[in-house]
Amino acid sequence: MNIVIRHLSKAFGEKVLWKDLNLVIPEKGCSVLMGASGCGKTTLLRILMGLEEEDEGEILESQRIRQCRKCVVFQEDRLCEGISAVDNVLAVLPGRTDREMIRRDLEKTGLCRPFEEPVRNYSGGMKRRVAVVRACMAEGELVLMDEPLRGLDRESREKTAGYIREKTKGRTLIITSHDQEDAGLLGGKVIRLDGRS
Amino acid sequence: MREILKRMSAVFAVLILWQMAAFFVKSSILLCGPLDVLKRLCTIWKEPYFAAAIFFTLRRVAEGFFLGLLLGAILAFLAGKWSPVRIFLWPLMAAVKAVPVAAIVVICLIWLSGRNLSVFLSFLVVCPVVYQNLLTGIDSLDPGMEEVAVVFCMTPVRRFRFIRLPQLFPYFTAACKVTSGMAWKAGIAAEIIATPAGSIGKQMYLAKTYLQSEDLLSWAVIIVALSMISEKLLMGILRKASERLGGG
């Protein structure tokens, strides 16, 4: 089922993000939310995550969307800094998961083994890829990623985008980005939030 | 290596000052020198009461310490979850921290046997520090990581193991480091006042009564050594636990 947003409004004090926003985000495909900084991309994702309330308007089937399991890459990496990359992924997976399977997935984004040292020793780009793998390996129909390719070099971007495409096949993927190239790499439909074409 | 050398030379300087002071006082009852203490240390371990006294005190200080850790941690989690618990515990914890150990010992002697007083006193100095440290840690838990737990629908066990425990562990380690020495101090103080038979405190009390300064200072050196060894051991265990926690 598509995600239908009707007459949505959101403001933080004096700053109005959107008034009467109407969108249809197709199910089982990749949509890339684009727009200038401060246009409300992250806030829209947070509303879909159930972490933020809209002021007015509605998201059809919002109850179903909010209750379903979600796989998320936040604007910040939000990893447990004191534990390893493998444990960070393991933390969100239900039941017993093979650590080797996680290592293989981390490698697909261009990261190198052994992945057992605390992620606090990782660079920004490495942490970003761990956050991406965590979201992709988690179980859930709805995948929400806030600038997942931020801070990655060209080669890592391509590898990571390929990994995201492979792992989110058959799921609804919503991504925010400033970069038109990200939409191309991920093969997503561009939805502009700032009214530009 | 340089650091060890610096520390060794500081210890050596203190020993020289001590020896000079003993030389000028010229009375081994008032102040015996480090060499006299060293001589006594070489013989004291042969005394029939030595091992039993160490075991007696070590066991009770350890019991009080671990009881303090456990209850301090439980109370901190309860206070972190329910603010009425925090409000209710505030005057209790503040009072326990402020009242001098000797005063508590005198009050407790009415209620408790001398044998178990050191357990209670060690517990009493450890519990509020662990409580306060862990509560500070709970208050500074990253709300962003709590959101991670919510959106990924993590179970309470996983939320604790992966999100909260790694953030709280440094606060717990700091509390252990501070309180391991405090537990020894409080436990020995309780024993010196309550003088339970077979304890280090009783031996120190007797040494003071019979003006055996060498014995008194030898026991003090042994207590310092025991306190340092137990702190190093505890920190080693916590470091291993931290590595397991971090390295998977």
Side-chain angles (χ1 to χ4, degrees):
Chain A
M1 188 176 286
N2 294 340
I3 297 171
V4 181
I5 293 167
R6 278 193 190 156
H7 312 298
L8 210 66
S9 298
K10 181 74 186 173
F12 288 105
E14 295 289 293
K15 181 166 170 59
V16 178
L17 290 182
W18 356 271
K19 218 170 180 175
D20 200 29
L21 178 75
N22 293 285
L23 284 179
V24 177
I25 299 171
E27 192 192 22
K28 295 192 194 305
C30 173
S31 305
V32 184
L33 302 177
M34 295 195 71
S37 296
C39 75
K41 303 184 292 292
T42 298
T43 305
L44 184 55
L45 276 196
R46 285 180 62 82
I47 289 173
L48 290 170
M49 285 175 208
L51 299 174
E52 202 87 54
E53 285 287 325
E54 62 272 19
D55 293 342
E56 280 173 42
E58 61 173 345
I59 299 171
L60 294 190
E61 296 273 349
S62 61
Q63 211 48 25
R64 184 183 67 88
I65 292 165
R66 281 176 188 175
Q67 278 170 1
C68 77
R69 285 181 87 101
K70 286 169 283 282
C71 313
V72 172
V73 173
F74 288 89
Q75 193 170 42
E76 316 82 20
D77 301 313
R78 297 204 188 174
L79 300 171
C80 309
E81 294 281 323
I83 64 174
S84 69
V86 175
D87 278 331
N88 263 286
V89 180
L90 197 67
V92 303
L93 303 181
R96 294 178 76 87
T97 309
D98 184 9
R99 297 177 76 87
E100 187 52 33
M101 200 165 86
I102 299 171
R103 288 189 195 103
R104 278 199 297 270
D105 270 43
L106 287 164
E107 272 181 327
K108 284 180 189 171
T109 63
L111 287 170
C112 298
R113 283 174 187 248
F115 311 126
E116 298 296 349
E117 65 172 310
V119 291
R120 76 165 74 90
N121 300 337
Y122 282 22
S123 70
M126 289 162 85
K127 284 181 188 173
R128 201 66 186 153
R129 282 176 279 174
V130 176
V132 166
V133 172
R134 180 176 68 179
C136 288
M137 287 194 81
E139 281 179 5
E141 280 304 298
L142 186 56
V143 186
L144 304 164
M145 296 186 171
D146 202 345
E147 299 186 53
L149 306 179
R150 193 193 61 211
L152 302 183
D153 59 51
R154 183 153 194 93
E155 195 189 335
S156 305
R157 278 162 80 95
E158 283 170 6
K159 276 189 177 168
T160 309
Y163 173 75
I164 294 172
R165 273 202 314 270
E166 177 200 322
K167 294 293 281 193
T168 57
K169 218 171 268 173
R171 297 201 266 180
T172 307
L173 169 65
I174 306 172
I175 279 176
T176 70
S177 179
H178 288 287
D179 198 337
Q180 189 78 41
E181 206 186 314
D182 288 355
L185 281 171
L186 291 158
K189 177 195 164 197
V190 174
I191 299 171
R192 293 209 70 99
L193 282 187
D194 53 6
R196 287 186 224 157
S197 55
Chain B
M1 193 65 190
R2 274 178 74 116
E3 197 55 38
I4 294 170
L5 274 174
K6 273 185 201 168
R7 284 185 186 194
M8 292 293 282
S9 43
V11 171
F12 195 65
V14 170
L15 288 175
I16 287 173
L17 281 175
W18 179 8
Q19 184 62 53
M20 280 167 66
F23 177 77
F24 287 116
V25 170
K26 286 191 173 71
S27 164
S28 66
I29 290 173
L30 288 178
L31 183 65
C32 61
L35 289 173
D36 298 325
V37 173
L38 190 67
K39 260 188 246 168
R40 182 62 184 128
L41 278 172
C42 294
T43 56
I44 200 168
W45 64 273
K46 292 176 194 160
E47 303 288 352
Y49 53 77
F50 181 81
I54 285 189
F55 179 73
F56 181 100
T57 303
L58 179 66
R59 190 185 137 190
R60 277 158 181 80
V61 168
E63 278 174 8
F65 176 76
F66 288 113
L67 214 63
L69 282 191
L70 187 70
L71 199 72
I74 292 171
L75 290 177
F77 281 110
L78 293 177
K81 206 160 174 59
W82 294 291
S83 61
V85 177
R86 181 190 297 232
I87 294 163
F88 174 75
L89 287 175
W90 175 77
L92 281 175
M93 292 295 175
V96 170
K97 272 200 285 188
V99 177
V101 171
I104 298 173
V105 174
V106 173
I107 297 164
C108 292
L109 265 175
I110 302 167
W111 301 94
L112 290 169
S113 75
R115 287 180 73 80
N116 293 322
L117 197 64
S118 50
V119 178
F120 186 66
L121 256 287
S122 300
F123 158 79
L124 223 53
V125 294
V126 172
C127 184
V129 178
V130 174
Y131 168 82
Q132 196 54 58
N133 260 39
L134 279 179
L135 197 58
T136 308
I138 290 167
D139 288 343
S140 29
L141 282 174
D142 182 359
M145 292 308 293
E146 293 296 316
E147 285 186 354
V148 171
V150 170
V151 294
F152 282 105
C153 305
M154 287 169 77
T155 61
V157 173
R158 276 170 186 257
R159 196 177 285 208
F160 179 74
R161 159 72 179 88
F162 292 107
I163 303 279
R164 292 183 185 160
L165 194 57
Q167 290 183 71
L168 293 177
F169 205 73
Y171 291 91
F172 183 72
T173 308
C176 287
K177 195 171 169 62
V178 172
T179 54
S180 62
M182 284 166 69
W184 275 101
K185 273 190 192 177
I188 298 287
E191 283 183 358
I192 289 173
I193 298 171
T195 60
S199 67
I200 292 179
K202 173 88 175 186
Q203 295 306 325
M204 291 182 86
Y205 179 78
L206 290 175
K208 187 219 102 183
T209 307
Y210 298 119
L211 303 173
Q212 293 165 328
S213 295
E214 292 97 338
D215 278 30
L216 195 62
L217 288 171
S218 298
W219 279 115
V221 171
I222 290 164
I223 291 163
V224 170
L226 285 172
S227 171
M228 282 170 72
I229 292 167
S230 51
E231 188 194 312
K232 293 270 177 221
L233 211 69
L234 190 69
M235 287 301 115
I237 293 167
L238 288 173
R239 203 175 307 116
K240 283 270 171 230
S242 166
E243 280 166 19
R244 272 185 72 86
L245 207 65

